[in-house]
Amino acid sequence: AVNGFGGLLVAVVIKYADNIWKGFATAGAILLTGLLAPLLELGPPPNALLLLGAALVVASVLLYAATPPPPHRTAARAVLLPARVAT
């Protein structure tokens, strides 16, 4: 039942988001499972690598969700101006 629900959840994420968010959701689910398993007496306590992974996932989601910086002025100008053709 849990695997079926997980499959439906993946389908919803892909339909309404994109593959990058699916990767973040998968990483978040793994971390959540790793953090909740000891509380429910289903696994060992989290180690340093799990905590480091959790910090990296949270940081990457925040960086991805942040608004992108404005384009560099010279890069935007190069796109707007056509290239000169030698005659």
Side-chain angles (χ1 to χ4, degrees):
V2 174
N3 287 337
F5 180 71
L8 291 174
L9 193 59
V10 167
V12 168
V13 168
I14 290 176
K15 182 177 180 180
Y16 293 107
D18 59 8
N19 275 338
I20 295 175
W21 282 113
K22 179 200 171 273
F24 287 143
T26 303
I30 291 169
L31 292 173
L32 186 63
T33 302
L35 293 174
L36 288 180
L39 297 176
L40 301 173
E41 298 179 5
L42 298 173
N47 59 15
L49 287 177
L50 181 69
L51 298 176
L52 175 65
L56 290 174
V57 168
V58 169
S60 64
V61 168
L62 291 175
L63 285 173
Y64 184 75
T67 57
H72 195 272
R73 185 170 175 89
T74 57
R77 187 172 183 189
V79 172
L80 296 176
L81 298 175
R84 295 185 185 239
V85 178
T87 56

